[in-house]
Amino acid sequence: MHFASLPDRRAASTPDGPAVADGRHSLTNAQFLTRVRAAARHLQDLGIGTGDVVALKLRNRVEFVFLLFGAWRLGATVTPVNPSLTEGEVARQLHDSGARLLVVEDGTTAAGVTTLAVDDLDGEAVGPGPTPQPDSTAPALLIYTSGTTGVPKGVMLDHSNIDAMAAMGCQVIETGQTDRCLLILPLFHVNAIVISVLMPLVAGGSVFITDRFDPKTFFDLVERERPTYFSAVPTVYNILEALPADVRPDTSSLRYGTCGAAPASAELPIRFEARYGFPIIEGYGLSEGTCFSTVNPVAGPRRAGTVGVVVPGQELRIVDEQGNELATGMDGEVIVRGPNVMRGYLGRPEDTAKTIVDGWLYTGDVGHLDADGYLTLVGRSKDMIIRGGENIYPKEIEDVLTTDPSVLEAAVIGVPDDRWGEVVVAYVQPRPGTTVDPEALEALTARHLSGYKRPTSFLVVDAIPKNAVGKIDKPSLRAAHAAALSSH
């Protein structure tokens, strides 16, 4: 199966069936095909062709999906851009990806890159438009994720990756023709693209796209649109579970909600299902693995506190630092293998070689398997912080903080938070003879970092702890921070 021709097949089989909708548009399969053809023709007229990269800096809306499939018809690659990125962060992604076109809705421009305002996108196709390009090895998505160095890397996913992931996903969470997904996660996430768009569409179902998650209106949408499932992160479920007791929505249409991006607490799925009457299906995966590699069974036993069992079609092992497989119950690095594993990082062969070894994707996450194959994550070998499902890498923030002339060193850690899972806290050590102004640091990070990356507090210390080899000792810093909190 190749996604470039999926709109054609849906229109041919059930032209009047529902396809995609948002708060402004509701399209049948035939109308969806028309809009995809029009988008492809518009991109073609702007010079986009095989091998080109199209950047989409858009909030959640149906045009994102038209452009996604339109680009694929031309053999082009799509790189989604987080709309909340700063101008410098956007420019860095555009330069690294080699994007030829940037589609925007807010007037953003970029030097050397053609810009298309999404409201100017053609809506009517003239003729059938370009013929879909069925090359399974062609790159489909270029997803940017930060590395341990804090420098964003482009994860290259080809059509065989997304085809395999969508097929495996439909099997394990039992997606079918009657399913209607409520998309609430931002479309610059691979989770939103794969689980909430590609999977329901390839299964013959439909998707309703929300602009953003709003706990005040979420259940109103559920009652009106009658979705059968949605995908979210633990923060969303925590917020919903904490709504006032008099919130008693009709959730009878929902079969389940999927949960990923960060491990949920063992108690959350139990409390949530008891309150709302449908289960949370928790899974685990990486952008480098196209979306997810483990999932708790929909029909079989779900084990709270775990992220489920390996997805059929993939392999998973727990290994030590030498790559030797560890016994059941022993903690080690999680590695996965399968047709969903990325082609590599764009332009970074050394990083690719470190991450993919003999076809195995080394995740950098630490966990163990029980006797039945359920995976429990116990930590991350990397220092990544996950705030509300967003991956944050400390060095990017530390590099900004140390541009302040009063800062000698900075160490950024994640600390537990009931609402977001983790929040960012920065420790800073002053240069001798200077005084650090936390308000100045707050203004500095506001200029250079997206809101979710900014520290919630700046703690000035005489010295940042170091380990025996002189490196910043973040484990002891996190322990000291936790001890300080517990003493208050």
Side-chain angles (χ1 to χ4, degrees):
M1 208 293 296
H2 197 279
F3 278 101
S5 57
L6 177 60
D8 305 74
R9 293 197 299 277
R10 288 178 60 99
S13 62
T14 51
D16 296 325
V20 295
D22 62 13
R24 301 167 300 121
H25 306 284
S26 181
L27 286 83
T28 65
N29 288 320
Q31 293 167 332
F32 177 45
L33 175 60
T34 296
R35 293 300 300 269
V36 169
R37 284 173 169 172
R41 174 72 73 185
H42 198 153
L43 295 178
Q44 188 177 57
D45 290 345
L46 291 170
I48 300 301
T50 301
D52 289 330
V53 175
V54 176
L56 304 181
K57 182 174 177 282
L58 301 173
R59 293 172 297 143
N60 287 5
R61 52 193 294 165
V62 292
E63 288 85 357
F64 187 105
V65 184
F66 304 156
L67 287 158
L68 183 72
F69 282 92
W72 288 346
R73 290 177 87 83
L74 301 173
T77 305
V78 168
T79 186
V81 180
N82 182 345
S84 70
L85 293 184
T86 64
E87 183 178 329
E89 290 168 329
V90 172
R92 182 169 58 188
Q93 181 171 337
L94 295 177
H95 174 75
D96 190 77
S97 66
R100 291 196 57 196
L101 177 68
L102 172 64
V103 185
V104 300
E105 57 192 351
D106 59 0
T108 299
T109 59
V113 180
T114 301
T115 302
L116 170 65
V118 70
D119 289 338
D120 294 335
L121 183 66
D122 289 344
E124 294 296 329
V126 179
T131 302
Q133 303 294 309
D135 181 3
S136 64
T137 65
L141 293 169
L142 188 56
I143 304 292
Y144 274 80
T145 179
S146 294
T148 54
T149 63
V151 179
K153 299 191 291 285
V155 174
M156 297 187 293
L157 303 176
D158 62 21
H159 280 275
S160 65
N161 291 144
I162 63 172
D163 287 354
M165 186 75 262
M168 289 186 284
C170 287
Q171 176 186 349
V172 296
I173 66 170
E174 303 177 9
T175 314
Q177 293 182 357
T178 59
D179 276 305
R180 180 171 176 78
C181 180
L182 178 63
L183 187 156
I184 61 173
L185 294 178
L187 275 167
F188 58 83
H189 273 279
V190 71
N191 180 307
I193 294 174
V194 172
I195 295 182
S196 298
V197 176
L198 301 186
M199 282 172 46
L201 290 183
V202 76
S206 62
V207 55
F208 184 90
I209 300 170
T210 60
D211 178 27
R212 63 176 65 87
F213 169 70
D214 183 347
K216 296 178 181 178
T217 60
F218 176 77
F219 284 120
D220 292 335
L221 272 173
V222 168
E223 291 180 347
R224 186 180 77 235
E225 299 298 333
R226 306 291 294 168
T228 59
Y229 79 95
F230 64 95
S231 182
V233 297
T235 296
V236 167
Y237 291 106
N238 280 322
I239 291 171
L240 294 175
E241 199 275 327
L243 288 175
D246 60 355
V247 176
R248 299 178 180 177
D250 175 6
T251 62
S252 58
S253 69
L254 286 166
R255 297 198 293 125
Y256 53 75
T258 69
C259 183
S265 69
E267 297 79 18
L268 176 60
I270 298 170
R271 294 197 314 265
F272 191 94
E273 184 171 0
R275 173 167 183 181
Y276 290 116
F278 64 91
I280 294 176
I281 306 298
E282 191 174 4
Y284 158 75
L286 288 77
S287 298
E288 289 88 340
T290 311
C291 193
F292 60 98
S293 294
T294 70
V295 68
N296 270 281
V298 172
R302 295 182 294 275
R303 296 189 180 174
T306 79
V307 289
V309 297
V310 67
V311 171
Q314 298 184 46
E315 300 171 78
L316 184 147
R317 292 178 180 173
I318 307 296
V319 299
D320 62 18
E321 293 180 355
Q322 288 73 46
N324 301 311
E325 189 167 4
L326 295 172
T328 297
M330 294 184 65
D331 287 334
E333 182 170 4
V334 180
I335 64 173
V336 296
R337 184 168 66 178
N340 55 301
V341 172
M342 67 172 180
R343 292 172 55 180
Y345 295 116
L346 178 67
R348 298 177 182 273
E350 292 182 0
D351 288 331
T352 300
K354 292 176 184 176
T355 305
I356 302 177
V357 180
D358 295 330
W360 288 95
L361 172 64
Y362 280 68
T363 68
D365 292 314
V366 178
H368 61 261
L369 294 169
D370 67 17
D372 297 315
Y374 286 75
L375 174 65
T376 298
L377 297 174
V378 298
R380 296 184 293 277
S381 60
K382 305 170 185 177
D383 285 327
M384 184 176 70
I385 301 164
I386 302 179
R387 177 193 180 276
E390 296 284 359
N391 294 349
I392 303 169
Y393 290 84
K395 191 170 187 302
E396 181 181 9
I397 305 167
E398 292 161 356
D399 287 347
V400 170
L401 292 171
T402 53
T403 64
D404 186 294
S406 69
V407 175
L408 176 65
E409 282 189 310
V412 169
I413 61 172
V415 302
D417 181 81
D418 290 340
R419 180 180 179 89
W420 297 107
E422 289 182 301
V423 293
V424 179
V425 169
Y427 279 81
V428 292
Q429 180 177 336
R431 291 185 182 276
T434 66
T435 301
V436 172
D437 180 2
E439 291 185 2
L441 296 183
E442 185 173 0
L444 176 68
T445 55
R447 290 195 301 272
H448 295 284
L449 297 169
S450 304
Y452 69 90
K453 299 178 185 177
R454 299 170 195 162
T456 58
S457 59
F458 301 87
L459 304 177
V460 182
V461 293
D462 292 334
I464 291 175
K466 306 287 176 56
N467 62 20
V469 295
K471 293 183 178 181
I472 292 176
D473 188 355
K474 288 193 176 178
S476 70
L477 191 60
R478 283 189 283 266
H481 188 93
L485 288 178
S486 64
S487 67
H488 290 302

